[in-house]
Amino acid sequence: MANLTKLEFTALQSSGRNYLSWVLDAEIHLDAMGLGDTIKEENKASNQNCARAMIFLRHHLDEILKIEYLTVKDPLVLWKNLKERFDHLKMVIHPKARYDWMHLRLQDFKSIHEYNSAMFRITSQLKLCGETVSEIDMMEKTFSTFHASNVLLQQQYREKGFKKYSELISHLLVAEQNNDLLLKNHENRPTGSEPLPEVNEAYAHHARRGKGRGPNRGRGRGRGRGRGRDYGQERNSNLGINHSSNKKETIN
């Protein structure tokens, strides 16, 4: 038997808020433990199995419910009592789930992941209330709620002939990741914004140095022209110009 010091799933709250999911979890675990018959009508489960099932169910009730059903010793009786007490919640959850389904639109979500999470949350609630949502329904809901600017993209995905909703979502997730990567690359270096070559940076640096010497230009014209020639040679050297060859051309 499973270690009862640890909850196998969330305990049933006294408000019954999680009753529908709790029932499903309880049924699955009891079947896995070979105790599924203990909560069925006219079962022939042994006293030992009924006791084991009762211990398991009580372990997954919150403290208030444990006290309220303290005297119940038959797992089938406990199961029926909880059903009579909380099964009406389907009448509350079902209309809300139907409303969420009707207004679920892919274009309202910032990411495919968020849309996919909402899709499974809503369809799970509908299934717990007895309403089946098929793969075709889920895919059609997705196709029909693409943003108006993506009509052509929606048609392209339709033509791929997906058979399962999971296949469609996988392709959408990959496409979204690729688009995000392209946008990040564009933001890091927008089109036409190439970095300045090192030659231009060197030229700008020397130009700033030259401007800084402006106040001293009146002191000695000869020396000033000498510095000008040196600066010109240095600039031409940085730009890849052969100063000596230019000089020969001038002489000719």
Side-chain angles (χ1 to χ4, degrees):
M1 187 173 180
N3 183 6
L4 295 182
T5 61
K6 179 181 178 181
L7 292 179
E8 300 295 334
F9 50 91
T10 304
L12 177 60
Q13 301 172 9
S14 58
S15 63
R17 193 175 198 175
N18 62 330
Y19 172 72
L20 296 180
S21 60
W22 181 89
V23 166
L24 181 61
D25 288 332
E27 287 179 334
I28 293 174
H29 281 81
L30 287 174
D31 285 338
M33 297 163 62
L35 303 174
D37 291 340
T38 59
I39 56 174
K40 295 179 181 179
E41 293 284 356
E42 299 180 358
N43 67 77
K44 297 181 180 180
S46 65
N47 292 335
Q48 184 179 9
N49 283 344
C50 286
R52 293 172 61 198
M54 192 65 192
I55 293 172
F56 181 81
L57 291 175
R58 283 184 56 81
H59 185 65
H60 290 85
L61 301 178
D62 74 2
E63 294 302 321
I64 295 176
L65 291 176
K66 285 181 181 179
I67 295 173
E68 292 180 0
Y69 295 100
L70 183 62
T71 60
V72 178
K73 297 182 179 180
D74 188 334
L76 179 58
V77 173
L78 176 61
W79 193 260
K80 287 181 176 179
N81 288 344
L82 294 174
K83 181 178 177 63
E84 292 174 358
R85 178 170 178 172
F86 298 122
D87 201 47
H88 72 279
L89 292 175
K90 289 182 180 179
M91 300 178 64
V92 177
I93 296 175
H94 192 204
K96 178 62 167 59
R98 285 296 306 167
Y99 177 86
D100 291 341
W101 172 258
M102 291 296 295
H103 293 84
L104 178 65
R105 303 192 308 174
L106 174 60
Q107 60 182 295
D108 292 338
F109 292 84
K110 295 181 179 180
S111 68
I112 299 298
H113 173 72
E114 292 179 0
Y115 169 78
N116 192 40
S117 297
M119 170 68 80
F120 277 107
R121 175 181 58 81
I122 295 170
T123 54
S124 296
Q125 290 177 341
L126 290 172
K127 290 176 182 178
L128 287 174
C129 294
E131 183 173 347
T132 302
V133 181
S134 66
E135 296 282 340
I136 295 177
D137 293 334
M138 297 167 73
M139 288 191 292
E140 185 59 33
K141 169 64 71 172
T142 305
F143 287 135
S144 62
T145 59
F146 266 65
H147 194 275
S149 62
N150 293 325
V151 173
L152 293 178
L153 183 62
Q154 176 252 125
Q155 292 176 352
Q156 292 175 0
Y157 278 106
R158 279 186 182 275
E159 292 173 356
K160 289 182 179 293
F162 296 111
K163 300 299 182 182
K164 294 183 178 181
Y165 170 78
S166 59
E167 295 175 353
L168 170 61
I169 286 298
S170 295
H171 279 73
L172 290 176
L173 286 170
V174 171
E176 182 181 59
Q177 292 174 359
N178 290 336
N179 288 340
D180 289 342
L181 180 60
L182 290 175
L183 287 174
K184 288 180 180 179
N185 289 337
H186 176 75
E187 291 172 357
N188 290 336
R189 183 178 294 177
T191 304
S193 61
E194 293 183 356
L196 293 173
E198 293 184 4
V199 172
N200 292 344
E201 292 179 3
Y203 175 77
H205 172 70
H206 288 294
R208 287 194 297 269
R209 291 178 57 187
K211 290 181 180 179
R213 295 174 179 174
N216 297 325
R217 284 180 296 178
R219 299 172 62 183
R221 293 182 61 188
R223 288 192 300 170
R225 284 199 296 269
R227 283 198 300 270
R229 287 196 299 271
D230 293 340
Y231 170 70
Q233 292 174 359
E234 187 175 2
R235 174 196 168 194
N236 291 339
S237 175
N238 285 333
L239 293 173
I241 299 175
N242 191 323
H243 185 73
S244 60
S245 60
N246 288 345
K247 184 175 181 181
K248 290 181 181 180
E249 291 178 2
T250 304
I251 295 173
N252 294 333

